[in-house]
Amino acid sequence: MAKSYKEIMNAISTFVFDVDGVLTDGSVFINNQGEMLRTMNIRDGYAIKTAVDSGYNVCIISGGSNEGVRVRLRNLGVTDIHLGTPDKVATFDEYVDVYQIKPEQVLYMGDDIPDYHVMKLVGLPTCPQDACSEIKSIAAYISHKNGGKGAVRDVIEQVMRVQGKWMGNFDGKLD
């Protein structure tokens, strides 16, 4: 019998995310200078920072290249940021090899065709609710949240809850 996605979450040590359509809603705003601007969800950012601070590996692999995205992710503590990546599988293979990570320990969230082949390699392929149908067909978990609207927070929080690590030392008191 196949494991449920919740059972697979017990083994996750590494989160890998695409950017456009996952960390963003896929919209691009273009200013008068031709610069493409994106928005990111603050709760996704909180979850990423919490995962990094809790010792999880967090890696970004994106075909897009925007230095504002890199700055935002660095500010959250992410050090493995691969932007402008033409071959996501090669980048993923190199990443897991360098850090000696087993693919079954990886949760990958993607939303479109460029993520397909990487998602076939990982232990827990996931996607936002608004991912394309080809990606939804191979995802072990489809978030109830859209890309850029809390899907990243959803998967990080679930993994950390399953592993008993969400809200670490929080005592429930809000002063």
Side-chain angles (χ1 to χ4, degrees):
M1 187 166 135
K3 289 183 178 181
S4 72
Y5 76 89
K6 288 279 191 184
E7 291 173 304
I8 297 168
M9 286 181 172
N10 280 309
I12 299 301
S13 67
T14 303
F15 297 100
V16 180
F17 299 108
D18 178 30
V19 174
D20 292 320
V22 173
L23 284 166
T24 76
D25 67 5
S27 298
V28 177
F29 301 96
I30 303 170
N31 69 15
N32 290 337
Q33 290 75 39
E35 183 181 11
M36 294 189 289
L37 307 173
R38 295 156 174 85
T39 60
M40 292 185 169
N41 185 292
I42 201 76
R43 290 185 183 146
D44 286 347
Y46 174 79
I48 289 170
K49 176 93 171 98
T50 300
V52 168
D53 291 349
S54 297
Y56 290 89
N57 303 308
V58 178
C59 176
I60 306 300
I61 302 176
S62 177
S65 57
N66 179 290
E67 286 309 304
V69 169
R70 186 182 309 277
V71 169
R72 167 75 176 141
L73 294 167
R74 278 195 182 136
N75 287 340
L76 296 173
V78 180
T79 56
D80 294 293
I81 305 167
H82 305 275
L83 303 179
T85 303
D87 185 347
K88 290 185 176 192
V89 170
T91 301
F92 174 78
D93 286 343
E94 182 179 331
Y95 175 74
V96 296
D97 184 54
V98 165
Y99 290 98
Q100 296 296 295
I101 300 165
K102 295 177 184 170
E104 58 267 22
Q105 296 173 300
V106 177
L107 178 152
Y108 184 99
M109 181 173 268
D111 72 304
D112 209 346
I113 302 302
D115 302 304
Y116 186 90
H117 294 294
V118 178
M119 289 178 67
K120 298 285 280 182
L121 300 175
V122 303
L124 187 54
T126 67
C127 68
Q129 176 61 41
D130 58 346
C132 74
S133 60
E134 294 86 354
I135 294 301
K136 285 181 169 182
S137 75
I138 63 168
Y141 175 73
I142 300 171
S143 176
H144 63 284
K145 302 281 190 176
N146 286 342
K149 304 291 183 188
V152 168
R153 163 74 176 255
D154 175 35
V155 294
I156 291 174
E157 184 176 335
Q158 283 198 58
V159 167
M160 292 184 73
R161 282 186 187 277
V162 164
Q163 295 180 7
K165 297 178 181 177
W166 185 252
M167 293 183 70
N169 297 324
F170 181 69
D171 62 7
K173 296 178 184 169
L174 299 173
D175 297 352

